[in-house]
Amino acid sequence: MNEKQLLQNAQLNEMIFPEEIEQRLGFDQIRIKLKNYCQGPLGQLEVDRIEFSSNYAFIQTLLLQNLEFKLILESGKSFPSTVHSNPDLHFRRATIEGSYLEEDAFQQIVKSLLTILECKQFFKQYHEWYPELVKVSSLITDPSSLIKNLQNKFDENGLIKDNASTELTKIRKSLQAEQSRVKRLTDQLFRHAVKEGWVPEGISTAIRDGRLVIPVLAEHKRKIKGFVVDESATGQTIYLEPAEVLEANNEIRDLLHAERREVIKILKELTTLLRINLPELYPSFNFLGFIDFTRAKAKFSLDILAEMPHLKAHPDLNWLQARHPLLYLSLKGKREIVPLTIDLTNEFPFLVISGPNAGGKSVCLKTVGVIQYMVQCGLLPSIHDKSSVGIFKNIFLDIGDQQSIENDLSTYSSHLKNMNFFIHQSDDKTLVLMDELGSGTDPNFGGGISESILTDLTEKKVWGVATTHYYNLKLFASNHQGIRNGAMKFDTKKLEPLFTLEIGKPGSSFALEIARKTGLPGSTLKRAEKIIGTELTGLEALMKSVAEEKQTLEKSKREIDQRERKLKETLAHYEALSSSLEAKKKEIINKAKDEASSILKETNREIEKTIRHIRENKAEKKETRKVREGLQTLTAKVRTSSMEVERKKEKIVEGDKVRLIGQEVTGKVFSIKEGIAVVQFGDLRSSVKLEKLIRSDLVDSTPIVNPARSMGVNVMQKQSSFVSTLDVRGKRAEEVIPVLDQFIDDALLLGQSQLKILHGKGEGVLRKIVRDHLKKVKQVVSLSDEHVERGGDGITVVVLK
């Protein structure tokens, strides 16, 4: 395509420049990797069809499809294998009237159709999870009917079945009978020949030209009536077809021809069926290729740690932790790649990057190019999911040596032709990437021309990134609207690149420092400084000094931020702890007051009752003794309540052994959150308010007064009343589950190992409900029917852990 055609295309649609942009960016290597991930040729054809697009909706759909398949792979769900063959040749042959496909072709088509059906069933099962892929799947006709019609004609080996037609059944029965008769006669003659010593030792009957023959030593060939069909290489053994089986062999040959004619007839019928279904088959196999291709994209996404960014319909470039995918894969397992953070905005859409050689400028440029190109080709990029990626109508690239002997162009001339194209065809929806801008000619003239080019591009609000070493371009970026400087950071002490982009300041080339590190003589360097001049060396020194100070300030800022963060965390922790303790203190005091008030009221009532009782009974000794015993019981109760109030003040923490107040069963605290403790009582785990618990080590051996009125679960009462058989007959379905849950909880609390559920036989509805629910209880080891003489399947026997 010549330059004039390129200009015309640029005016009509989105455009990439140059034609070999994929080779310049390395995207051709990504295509190769995607093809290697594909399981069949249809997916590889889809890889070849990848095209750059500026259609926002189309790109968004492709990225979401890529993301959904990535989620499928990450979830570990079993997705059907998409191994397949290309059916195009078979389909083209099937379009010809009277033609037929061979059995192996149908075998390939059926396997592919089964894969398509399995894919549709997968997306039907998970239709809410993967909406974009489901949309594609829903457009495909269900191939179940065609699969069934084809499978009915073929056996497991992919051959036409004997019962594929009535005529074929008849032919194959006759063929089998004739072959058996020939085998029988030949074996009989063979045994006789062996007995007579006419057959070479260790040789059996053989097949030659489709006929069953007897191997005979050449000197004995006249002793058996028959026809010579073949002989050995030495001529010492001949293969005779006995005269007795000649007619039968001829009949077999005729039957084989008849069989082949009938098989071809069936294959023609099946090919006609295929021809009728071709309008549905083409989209189905396109779907199979699409799934194979999308799975390949998802596997590549996992390899490069790709994520779904925020996609914008307009130009935008705000990337976090961007990694060149090929560089990441090549360094994987060897060393960590330094991610790129870059931000181009409507206010500053252009960036000029400077810095030392081998500092990462060109890698930065290629990373921007390949990631943007990937996104607009529908591939998830290797950037953080908080990044924003916009859509550009055009991407123009000028990178590498583009010298052309055929067109008599030097490297610099080639660069200038590209710049001419950029200036005429770029707009505010174009991304321009230029490496080593202005290089290849006299620096004074190259720098001036480059500055003029940047002026044209920034006036047109073109988006772009350019790398350079020229000071005038750094100054231009510092003093003009719409363009900023960026520097590849450099460790000034170790004299090593850090491969980190810093936006907002120009970078130094550190040429003298690097030269000094390589070991150039000091006198040579001093002379170089004089040649360069004090102005440039002073500027270089100033930039170096600024870089060092910035590194020191950044380090100090990081340390201060870290200390402040720790201080805030500690302060927040102590404030929360103080508030919690104050609240608990108030809660304990209020509860103690309430309990004391309640006890005081009860005590007053008992005293008044006692006085009244004494007066009424005139202080008889017997009645007085009863009243005194009642007061003693009340005193003990008041003492016990006071002790419990004190005990509740002891803090309960995770891992403590506790009891429910008033109970003897001990459990272990699993976790505590917002005044609620999760306690493990045997196999049962319960949530209990802290106020109802007491540490086991604080409980003395004094019997608890009036346990029947204490808080919590009365285990002794449950033990005495528990029955290991639950009868749910006559209950409705919604009534069974709560009763069953309570029954299992009680059994676990009491340490029962085997239970019985009586649900009756009937239509089996209650049995199904009971067993389905019990299968979800992790403490249930097994479910089985009772012995047939004791109720059979009308009773479910439950074994607990």
Side-chain angles (χ1 to χ4, degrees):
M1 185 179 295
N2 58 39
E3 186 174 352
K4 183 177 180 181
Q5 290 174 316
L6 290 173
L7 294 176
Q8 290 173 347
N9 287 344
Q11 293 168 355
L12 296 174
N13 300 306
E14 68 267 358
M15 185 171 181
I16 53 175
F17 180 89
E19 283 187 346
E20 63 276 11
I21 189 172
E22 293 192 1
Q23 290 75 24
R24 298 289 173 85
L25 293 175
F27 190 80
D28 57 329
Q29 297 300 312
I30 293 176
R31 284 188 189 265
I32 292 173
K33 290 185 179 296
L34 290 174
K35 283 188 175 182
N36 291 336
Y37 284 126
C38 291
Q39 296 183 320
L42 295 179
Q44 293 176 342
L45 286 174
E46 291 296 322
V47 175
D48 290 333
R49 295 189 183 109
I50 293 176
E51 288 185 352
F52 176 84
S53 173
S54 61
N55 186 312
Y56 170 78
F58 178 65
I59 295 171
Q60 178 82 346
T61 299
L62 291 180
L63 293 179
L64 289 174
Q65 290 168 350
N66 191 165
L67 175 64
E68 289 180 0
F69 220 119
K70 176 172 169 279
L71 294 175
I72 291 174
L73 298 182
E74 288 176 333
S75 70
K77 294 185 179 69
S78 178
F79 192 85
S81 170
T82 53
V83 176
H84 63 275
S85 58
N86 191 342
D88 187 60
L89 184 62
H90 302 319
F91 287 174
R92 279 189 280 135
R93 185 173 183 179
T95 59
I96 303 172
E97 290 286 344
S99 64
Y100 64 90
L101 302 181
E102 293 292 348
E103 291 161 306
D104 60 337
F106 278 106
Q107 182 79 344
Q108 294 172 12
I109 292 171
V110 169
K111 285 182 178 179
S112 297
L113 288 174
L114 286 171
T115 299
I116 293 168
L117 179 61
E118 289 171 358
C119 291
K120 281 185 64 66
Q121 290 172 343
F122 178 91
F123 291 122
K124 183 178 180 181
Q125 181 180 358
Y126 298 104
H127 64 279
E128 294 182 356
W129 294 49
Y130 313 111
E132 292 299 328
L133 294 174
V134 169
K135 285 179 186 177
V136 181
S137 174
S138 64
L139 300 175
I140 305 306
T141 303
D142 191 318
S144 300
S145 176
L146 179 59
I147 292 172
K148 183 178 180 181
N149 289 333
L150 293 176
Q151 286 183 326
N152 285 340
K153 301 296 183 180
F154 294 93
D155 60 19
E156 62 275 8
N157 297 317
L159 302 176
I160 295 292
K161 289 181 179 179
D162 293 349
N163 61 354
S165 72
T166 305
E167 183 63 22
L168 187 61
T169 302
K170 179 181 175 182
I171 291 171
R172 287 186 173 172
K173 281 184 178 179
S174 300
L175 183 60
Q176 187 177 6
E178 286 299 321
Q179 288 173 336
S180 298
R181 187 164 72 88
V182 169
K183 183 73 168 61
R184 190 168 57 253
L185 287 171
T186 304
D187 287 346
Q188 184 179 348
L189 292 170
F190 179 73
R191 286 194 298 271
H192 176 70
V194 171
K195 183 178 179 181
E196 295 296 332
W198 301 337
V199 177
E201 188 175 351
I203 296 182
S204 61
T205 57
I207 301 291
R208 291 291 185 275
D209 294 336
R211 294 171 178 269
L212 192 60
V213 295
I214 298 174
V216 179
L217 293 170
E219 62 267 25
H220 300 301
K221 67 180 179 180
R222 303 292 182 187
K223 296 179 181 179
I224 298 178
K225 291 182 180 180
F227 304 92
V228 177
V229 177
D230 197 4
E231 65 177 25
S232 66
T234 62
Q236 295 181 356
T237 303
I238 64 168
Y239 295 91
L240 283 173
E241 180 184 15
E244 291 88 339
V245 299
L246 175 62
E247 185 179 345
N249 271 335
N250 288 336
E251 179 65 22
I252 288 174
R253 186 178 292 271
D254 292 340
L255 287 171
L256 287 172
H257 288 312
E259 179 193 32
R260 179 57 183 166
R261 287 192 297 272
E262 185 62 23
V263 167
I264 290 175
K265 179 182 175 183
I266 295 169
L267 291 175
K268 284 183 177 180
E269 293 173 355
L270 294 176
T271 303
T272 300
L273 176 63
L274 207 63
R275 186 183 306 119
I276 295 170
N277 285 275
L278 281 179
E280 289 79 30
L281 287 175
Y282 276 115
S284 296
F285 276 83
N286 288 340
F287 167 73
L288 183 56
F290 162 78
I291 290 297
D292 189 24
F293 169 57
T294 308
R295 189 212 299 257
K297 291 201 300 181
K299 286 184 175 180
F300 182 68
S301 298
L302 290 175
D303 275 357
I304 64 172
L305 306 180
E307 297 289 350
M308 179 69 182
H310 297 290
L311 189 67
K312 304 292 184 63
H314 52 79
D316 189 27
L317 203 154
N318 184 0
W319 299 353
L320 305 173
Q321 299 179 13
R323 297 171 301 277
H324 193 294
L326 298 178
L327 182 62
Y328 172 76
L329 292 177
S330 66
L331 296 179
K332 194 174 183 179
K334 299 175 184 177
R335 65 180 179 88
E336 288 291 326
I337 187 173
V338 180
L340 169 70
T341 295
I342 185 170
D343 180 25
L344 302 183
T345 66
N346 285 318
E347 185 180 359
F348 296 103
F350 216 101
L351 182 67
V352 173
I353 301 176
S354 51
N357 288 321
K361 298 189 302 297
S362 295
V363 172
C364 174
L365 192 78
K366 288 185 176 180
T367 301
V368 172
V370 74
I371 287 180
Q372 187 64 44
Y373 194 82
M374 283 176 64
V375 170
Q376 295 196 228
C377 287
L379 276 69
L380 289 178
S382 48
I383 58 178
H384 195 280
D385 59 2
K386 300 298 183 185
S387 303
S388 296
V389 181
I391 302 296
F392 293 93
K393 182 182 176 184
N394 311 309
I395 295 182
F396 296 159
L397 178 69
D398 181 69
I399 187 171
D401 185 359
Q402 302 177 42
Q403 180 172 301
S404 173
I405 297 175
E406 294 83 356
N407 296 326
D408 193 25
L409 291 176
S410 67
T411 300
Y412 186 64
S413 297
S414 178
H415 286 312
L416 288 180
K417 286 182 69 67
N418 292 343
M419 296 304 107
N420 178 52
F421 182 82
F422 295 174
I423 291 170
H424 284 91
Q425 299 306 318
S426 299
D427 56 20
D428 59 354
K429 294 181 176 61
T430 300
L431 177 65
V432 172
L433 304 173
M434 300 178 290
D435 193 29
E436 298 294 349
L437 183 60
S439 63
T441 189
D442 185 303
N444 293 319
F445 290 95
I449 293 172
S450 299
E451 184 174 331
S452 182
I453 291 169
L454 285 179
T455 301
D456 287 336
L457 294 177
T458 53
E459 285 178 354
K460 298 177 75 171
K461 298 183 178 179
V462 175
W463 295 63
V465 178
T467 66
T468 189
H469 287 286
Y470 289 174
Y471 279 102
N472 68 305
L473 299 185
K474 301 175 190 179
L475 292 173
F476 176 83
S478 299
N479 300 324
H480 286 76
Q481 290 294 323
I483 187 168
R484 286 184 293 176
N485 273 302
M488 300 307 298
K489 296 178 72 172
F490 193 79
D491 190 323
T492 55
K493 294 181 180 178
K494 297 180 180 179
L495 294 179
E496 293 178 351
L498 300 175
F499 304 109
T500 302
L501 175 65
E502 181 180 10
I503 296 177
K505 53 164 278 188
S508 170
S509 297
F510 293 97
L512 291 173
E513 286 74 10
I514 294 174
R516 190 172 289 111
K517 183 181 180 182
T518 61
L520 280 179
S523 58
T524 303
L525 293 174
K526 288 181 180 179
R527 190 182 307 115
E529 289 178 357
K530 291 180 180 178
I531 294 171
I532 295 169
T534 57
E535 183 177 345
L536 285 179
T537 54
L539 179 60
E540 188 78 14
L542 178 61
M543 292 176 67
K544 177 184 174 184
S545 175
V546 170
E548 290 176 348
E549 289 180 5
K550 187 172 180 64
Q551 287 181 11
T552 304
L553 288 173
E554 286 179 350
K555 183 179 179 182
S556 299
K557 186 177 182 300
R558 284 195 300 271
E559 292 175 352
I560 292 171
D561 289 343
Q562 188 175 5
R563 285 197 294 268
E564 285 185 354
R565 187 167 57 253
K566 287 184 178 180
L567 180 61
K568 288 180 180 178
E569 289 174 357
T570 304
L571 182 61
H573 174 73
Y574 280 114
E575 287 178 350
L577 182 61
S578 175
S579 299
S580 175
L581 290 174
E582 188 65 28
K584 287 182 179 180
K585 176 182 175 182
K586 291 180 179 179
E587 182 182 353
I588 291 171
I589 292 173
N590 290 335
K591 284 184 178 179
K593 287 180 178 179
D594 291 342
E595 289 183 11
S597 176
S598 175
I599 292 170
L600 183 60
K601 289 179 181 178
E602 187 175 351
T603 303
N604 288 334
R605 283 197 300 271
E606 286 295 327
I607 292 172
E608 290 174 1
K609 179 180 176 183
T610 301
I611 294 171
R612 187 171 61 254
H613 192 77
I614 291 173
R615 287 175 178 174
E616 290 174 355
N617 291 278
K618 298 181 180 180
E620 292 182 6
K621 289 184 179 180
K622 184 176 180 181
E623 291 299 324
T624 302
R625 191 180 303 112
K626 287 182 181 180
V627 171
R628 186 179 293 111
E629 288 175 356
L631 287 174
Q632 289 174 350
T633 300
L634 178 61
T635 302
K637 179 179 177 182
V638 171
R639 186 182 299 112
T640 301
S641 299
S642 299
M643 290 171 62
E644 288 179 354
V645 169
E646 291 300 320
R647 287 166 180 164
K648 288 178 189 177
K649 296 180 182 178
E650 296 292 336
K651 185 178 180 181
I652 295 175
V653 297
E654 292 181 12
D656 282 350
K657 292 185 177 180
V658 297
R659 294 184 185 181
L660 287 165
I661 294 175
Q663 297 297 323
E664 297 180 1
V665 179
T666 298
K668 186 176 181 180
V669 177
F670 185 77
S671 65
I672 300 175
K673 185 177 181 181
E674 297 179 355
I676 304 295
V678 178
V679 186
Q680 187 83 31
F681 293 105
D683 288 332
L684 182 64
R685 185 176 289 179
S686 300
S687 295
V688 185
K689 292 183 177 179
L690 283 173
E691 63 195 44
K692 295 184 179 181
L693 295 174
I694 184 170
R695 281 193 358 219
S696 298
D697 59 329
L698 299 178
V699 180
D700 57 25
S701 58
T702 306
I704 299 172
V705 178
N706 199 8
R709 295 178 60 187
S710 64
M711 302 171 69
V713 180
N714 194 325
V715 179
M716 298 300 294
Q717 182 179 349
K718 281 188 176 290
Q719 184 70 55
S720 63
S721 61
F722 184 81
V723 179
S724 62
T725 299
L726 176 65
D727 188 351
V728 297
R729 291 176 298 176
K731 295 184 180 297
R732 294 193 300 273
E734 61 269 21
E735 297 176 335
V736 171
I737 301 303
V739 174
L740 188 60
D741 284 340
Q742 185 61 51
F743 181 63
I744 295 297
D745 288 346
D746 291 345
L748 291 170
L749 181 64
L750 299 175
Q752 298 292 319
S753 61
Q754 181 171 302
L755 309 171
K756 294 181 181 180
I757 314 295
L758 177 57
H759 44 63
K761 297 181 180 180
E763 296 180 359
V765 176
L766 277 179
R767 179 173 68 251
K768 186 176 186 307
I769 292 172
V770 168
R771 294 193 177 186
D772 286 349
H773 186 68
L774 289 176
K775 287 176 182 177
K776 301 175 184 177
V777 180
K778 65 179 182 179
Q779 286 84 4
V780 174
V781 176
S782 66
L783 304 171
S784 60
D785 293 337
E786 178 60 282
H787 191 278
V788 67
E789 295 180 359
R790 293 193 291 274
D793 59 0
I795 298 174
T796 294
V797 178
V798 183
V799 177
L800 301 175
K801 290 183 180 178

